[in-house]
Amino acid sequence: MTMSPNPSIGEALPMIVLGAGGHARSVVDSIQRAADYRVVAMVGAGSEEGSYRGIPILSGDECLVRLKERGVSAAHVGIGYLGEGALRRKLVGQLLGLGFELPPVVDPTAILAEDASVGAGAFLGKRAVVNVGACIGAQCIINTAAVVEHDSTIGEFSHLAPGAVVCGGCRIGADSFIGAHATIIHSVSVGRGCTVGAGSVVLDDVRPETTIAGVPAHAIETGSA
Ligand code: JB3
């Protein structure tokens, strides 16, 4: 379900999704199956044309003003690829500046514990699990079958790739990327702006702006922070 004004009003609210690639299509699928919103347009960078499942793909963000004027009030940034945190932040700022609301999108098959929290514009994909007391920051991507265990915090704009596991009591800083099937063991803190390689096992705290990989994981590139 996508957290939205009372869906019992009946009419699914119009929403736009920025991006038209694989991540945006995954988000659209989740939104359509959650049924609180209906995606009325996808907005690409200009190279895509046509439509997806009957949803028009518009080119260029210049159309956002017109879409807002036409009464679309909800939007989601459906751009996921690594290293595009700055782009995601820019687009979020643009949407907020135009007055769009950025509700989180939670796939109906995701499991979100009652006392867990999900920030604005975050995405929980298929079979994602967010357990008790966990806190997902704004604009995070918790991708397919990723797990955030009890009492862990994921900083804004961070991205857990498919199957990543953050064990209980962890702290993941903002703008970090946890690769597919990587594991962060209990109570470990990963600083902001870190990259954890796919399949890594992280046993110790990680300084900000560090790239780390391996089993057990070791720093490949350390930031100045
Ligand atoms: O690893 C997984 C499971 N998924 C990856 C996902 C998290 O990230 C996936 O494999 C890709 O690595 C990536 O998916 P994404 O973000 O869909 O990548 P791509 O297929 O390159 O699509 C990027 C989309 O963003 C394209 O439709 C671009 O046109 C669009 N785009 C780029 N810049 C933009 C802008 N759209 C708008 N509206 N504005 C922009 O500035």
Side-chain angles (χ1 to χ4, degrees), residues 33-218:
R33 288 185 299 107
D36 292 340
Y37 288 86
R38 59 189 160 81
V39 182
V40 295
M42 297 168 78
V43 184
S47 51
E48 297 94 343
E49 293 296 330
S51 64
Y52 173 63
R53 294 186 184 177
I55 301 165
I57 298 175
L58 309 177
S59 290
D61 296 327
E62 305 72 40
C63 68
L64 297 177
V65 174
R66 180 164 36 90
L67 288 163
K68 188 70 177 62
E69 286 166 354
R70 287 189 182 171
V72 180
S73 58
H76 189 88
V77 176
I79 299 167
Y81 47 94
L82 178 62
E84 287 305 335
L87 173 61
R88 287 167 52 79
R89 280 185 180 276
K90 184 196 92 174
L91 293 174
V92 165
Q94 210 172 323
L95 290 168
L96 292 174
L98 290 171
F100 282 96
E101 292 158 21
L102 307 182
V105 172
V106 179
D107 188 274
T109 63
I111 300 174
L112 180 61
E114 279 306 309
D115 60 348
S117 66
V118 180
F123 173 62
L124 270 58
K126 294 177 180 68
R127 294 181 36 242
V129 175
V130 176
N131 213 335
V132 296
C135 177
I136 307 301
Q139 301 300 330
C140 282
I141 298 171
I142 310 298
N143 222 321
T144 307
V147 173
V148 180
E149 260 302 346
H150 64 86
D151 306 312
S152 284
T153 297
I154 311 296
E156 63 176 18
F157 287 92
S158 282
H159 180 167
L160 270 58
V165 175
V166 173
C167 293
C170 292
R171 297 278 174 276
I172 307 297
D175 299 295
S176 283
F177 177 80
I178 311 295
H181 287 283
T183 298
I184 316 294
I185 70 162
H186 194 279
S187 302
V188 163
S189 290
V190 174
R192 70 171 301 131
C194 287
T195 298
V196 177
S200 300
V201 175
V202 179
L203 305 177
D204 302 304
D205 292 354
V206 183
R207 292 163 53 86
E209 310 290 335
T210 300
T211 297
I212 190 168
V215 181
H218 60 277

